[in-house]
Amino acid sequence: VQLQASGGGLVQPGGSLRLSCAASGSIFSINSMGWFRQAPGKQRELVAQITFGGSTTYADSVKGRFTISRDNAKNTVYLQMNSLKPEDTAVYYCHAYLRRVGRSSIDDYWGQGTQVTVSS
């Protein structure tokens, strides 16, 4: 199973970016997908998460600015980030909680990080 993330970059404060993450491989089902981030010297934190049924969870710091969405048919999750602030600068990691074909357990999978830098 692979999680391929894209869409990071450098943006000015107040700007927008859209992250995408596609899950591929021997996937039986996906319970949830989401995004975490880790800034230098800080712990990794949840940014947003969406379940197969569409329920969403957001960190308080991004509510009203970020929107997570999902295309179940494509096993892809998106994070639309608006009104970006310098404190949003971090490496963003895609996450999936899924069950692989042939396995009974549901496990955590991580994509490679993508850098988001908000700076003037």
Side-chain angles (χ1 to χ4, degrees), residues 1-3 26 34 94-100 103 105-111:
V1 172
Q2 289 188 329
L3 301 182
S26 301
C94 177
H95 170 266
Y97 190 52
L98 62 84
R99 180 181 170 188
R100 293 183 63 174
R103 296 192 179 182
S105 63
I106 302 174
D107 301 305
D108 295 292
Y109 290 84
W110 295 91

Side-chain angles (χ1 to χ4, degrees), residues 10-116:
L10 172 65
V11 65
Q12 292 186 341
S16 299
L17 282 175
R18 188 189 194 213
L19 304 182
S20 300
C21 176
S24 62
S26 301
I27 298 169
F28 180 80
S29 63
I30 300 178
N31 284 38
S32 66
M33 295 186 74
W35 295 91
F36 286 70
R37 67 186 181 186
Q38 187 167 19
K42 294 187 176 181
Q43 289 188 330
R44 189 174 297 190
E45 63 175 359
L46 173 69
V47 177
Q49 188 175 53
I50 185 167
T51 68
F52 179 84
S55 297
T56 57
T57 302
Y58 293 95
D60 287 342
S61 59
V62 307
K63 284 180 181 177
R65 300 188 297 121
F66 291 10
T67 302
I68 190 169
S69 60
R70 177 173 169 176
D71 186 334
N72 289 337
K74 296 181 179 180
N75 288 339
T76 299
V77 64
Y78 307 96
L79 185 67
Q80 179 64 44
M81 305 184 292
N82 298 329
S83 302
L84 282 160
K85 303 176 181 179
E87 50 264 43
D88 294 317
T89 296
V91 177
Y92 284 68
Y93 295 92
C94 177
H95 170 266
Y97 190 52
L98 62 84
R99 180 181 170 188
R100 293 183 63 174
V101 173
R103 296 192 179 182
S104 59
S105 63
I106 302 174
D107 301 305
D108 295 292
Y109 290 84
W110 295 91
Q112 87 285 3
T114 185
Q115 178 70 45
V116 172

